[in-house]
Amino acid sequence: MVNKHEAMTEYFKPIIEELTGEPLRFNFSSSDPEGVSLMTEYSDRKIKSYLHGGSEKAYGFAVIWVKPYSTDADDLNLDAMNFVQSFMDALEARNRAKDFPAFPATCEIHRIEVLQNMPGLAGINDQMNLARYQMHGRILYFESEDNDL
């Protein structure tokens, strides 16, 4: 059976590879230019429990991009920010289309939320002229105690 971490990796891997041609890293952010990482923030966080069984839960994640960075008056930084923003917009479109990761059978995903309206600049590396951009999101889902959804 696929667990939630594997489902998230399988969901994001083809999207990232199509956009960047780079492999998706899981819980590791390198300094490679154009590197992309899926970072877990929390899993199975209970939001609400029901007497009849089962719970509303959340799976939190961040996606981090390493992009070239410039101190010049050019468009390199703007292009990087727009690239990450386009990924966020695409993720919101997938949510509207109900295109979700394949969580285990005991889970019913309600939605994917992008938790910010623009990418965050997580830091820069002056020596390598690289910047880390990140976006945070979460998956809200119901998890039953058995397979009766």
Side-chain angles (χ1 to χ4, degrees), residues 15-31:
I15 300 167
I16 297 302
E17 288 176 358
E18 181 180 324
L19 284 173
T20 67
E22 296 291 322
L24 176 68
R25 293 174 176 88
F26 181 79
N27 278 348
F28 170 73
S29 180
S30 75
S31 294

Side-chain angles (χ1 to χ4, degrees), residues 45-131:
R45 189 180 116 217
K46 282 189 182 179
I47 295 173
K48 185 177 189 179
S49 294
Y50 295 99
L51 291 175
H52 63 77
S55 303
E56 298 289 339
K57 295 183 176 181
Y59 182 106
F61 63 92
V63 180
I64 299 174
W65 287 263
V66 177
K67 302 290 278 178
Y69 178 79
S70 175
T71 57
D72 297 327
D74 56 25
D75 290 337
L76 189 62
N77 302 336
L78 179 61
D79 291 344
M81 183 77 117
N82 286 336
F83 178 81
V84 178
Q85 182 68 51
S86 69
F87 172 82
M88 293 168 64
D89 295 342
L91 192 56
E92 289 179 333
R94 283 176 169 258
N95 176 62
R96 287 189 298 277
K98 300 206 179 298
D99 180 2
F100 301 136
F103 273 22
T106 56
C107 299
E108 181 182 333
I109 295 178
H110 298 302
R111 67 184 174 276
I112 299 174
E113 294 182 335
V114 175
L115 298 178
Q116 56 204 79
N117 65 353
M118 62 179 263
L121 178 62
I124 60 169
N125 180 328
D126 285 329
Q127 289 80 28
M128 296 180 71
N129 290 326
L130 297 173

